[in-house]
Amino acid sequence: MTSSFEQMRANVGKLLRGIDRYNPENLATLERYVETQAKENAYDLEANLAILKLYQFNPAYFQVNVTSQILLKALTNLPHTDFTLCKLSQQEERPIRQILYLGNLLETCHFQSFWTSLEENRELIDGIAGFEDSVRKFICHVVGITYQNIEHRLLAEMLGDPLDTQVKVWMNKYGWTEDEEGQIFIFNQEESVKPKNIVEKIDFESVSSIMATSQ
């Protein structure tokens, strides 16, 4: 069965290919498309950038809620640079300011602070299906390129998991193992092809630049 997202994607694709890409009368269709992305945990960066561009050229049409959804969806696609592309020229209404702050915390790897701030602003992600798991996937990506082993307690904090219900799930997803002392050993596919006498150390200061180029 074809999803609402797939049906809309074909129609929106036609809009974006022609001169109508710059017609603000199409914003209602494009804005419904953003809502569909949020509900169905789907994503279309090109369409979302087109909406932001239309808002930039036609400020009277600007919608805070739609812009907030676009920024949150961009965050779910870290480590790709979508969030950087989407946050250019944004107005500073409170929800947008809060989302930009959350994005900055993620991009600079302040994960515990991110979850604390998100908990204080949970209304921001209402209706964004899969948001927290998408963030956890990104955090595991950073852990995978940064650590060889990590304490269970620290990983739980980084994953925003005070009840310790998520760590095992993500360990299994990535094939990480844990010893009796609570040390989790990170399996990195690249490690299996590195010469044994080479040890790479990556600090958090370099992670942001790595994220920009990593897949």
Side-chain angles (χ1 to χ4, degrees):
M1 183 175 176
T2 304
S3 69
S4 299
F5 170 75
E6 289 168 340
Q7 291 173 342
M8 293 190 75
R9 186 172 200 167
N11 294 331
V12 168
K14 292 175 185 175
L15 285 180
L16 297 180
R17 278 196 293 273
I19 192 73
D20 276 346
R21 182 186 186 96
Y22 304 103
N23 185 350
E25 292 180 5
N26 290 319
L27 273 168
T29 299
L30 293 170
E31 287 163 351
R32 284 196 301 273
Y33 187 44
V34 173
E35 287 186 20
T36 301
Q37 291 177 56
K39 289 176 184 175
E40 297 190 10
N41 196 11
Y43 186 53
D44 188 333
L45 174 63
E46 183 186 4
N48 295 350
L49 288 174
I51 293 171
L52 296 178
K53 186 62 70 175
L54 281 166
Y55 286 162
Q56 192 176 349
F57 291 148
N58 305 275
Y61 289 87
F62 180 77
Q63 296 288 332
V64 173
N65 290 342
V66 175
T67 304
S68 297
Q69 287 183 317
I70 288 173
L71 289 168
L72 289 166
K73 289 301 296 181
L75 279 181
T76 67
N77 208 36
L78 283 168
H80 297 283
T81 57
D82 302 19
F83 185 69
T84 300
L85 294 172
C86 290
K87 72 183 180 182
L88 300 175
S89 305
Q90 287 311 319
Q91 300 187 32
E92 289 294 300
E93 279 84 350
R94 184 189 174 278
I96 294 175
R97 199 164 59 240
Q98 287 298 119
I99 294 166
L100 294 177
Y101 175 66
L102 289 171
N104 182 62
L105 290 174
L106 283 179
E107 290 181 322
T108 55
C109 301
H110 291 92
F111 300 132
Q112 291 97 319
S113 297
F114 166 82
W115 292 112
T116 299
S117 183
L118 183 65
E119 194 59 37
E120 296 168 356
N121 298 276
R122 291 203 67 81
E123 73 282 357
L124 289 174
I125 62 169
D126 285 349
I128 309 292
F131 179 81
E132 288 167 289
D133 277 349
S134 295
V135 169
R136 290 188 176 107
K137 180 180 178 182
F138 164 66
I139 291 169
C140 287
H141 164 79
V142 174
V143 169
I145 62 175
T146 308
Y147 288 90
Q148 291 182 333
N149 57 280
I150 186 172
E151 290 183 17
H152 184 113
R153 175 193 56 79
L154 177 56
L155 183 60
E157 290 177 6
M158 293 171 75
L159 292 175
D161 187 24
L163 301 179
D164 203 15
T165 59
Q166 293 289 327
V167 172
K168 293 289 187 186
V169 173
W170 291 93
M171 281 176 57
N172 291 338
K173 197 178 291 280
Y174 287 92
W176 299 343
T177 58
E178 182 175 4
D179 67 14
E180 294 177 356
E181 297 178 354
Q183 284 287 325
I184 296 171
F185 296 90
I186 306 302
F187 174 75
N188 186 332
Q189 290 180 334
E190 293 179 7
E191 289 297 320
S192 61
V193 298
K194 287 178 184 172
K196 294 295 183 185
N197 62 339
I198 294 178
V199 177
E200 290 191 359
K201 295 177 70 176
I202 305 174
D203 58 23
F204 271 121
E205 283 73 15
S206 66
V207 168
S208 292
S209 60
I210 292 170
M211 291 189 303
T213 55
S214 295
Q215 295 299 314

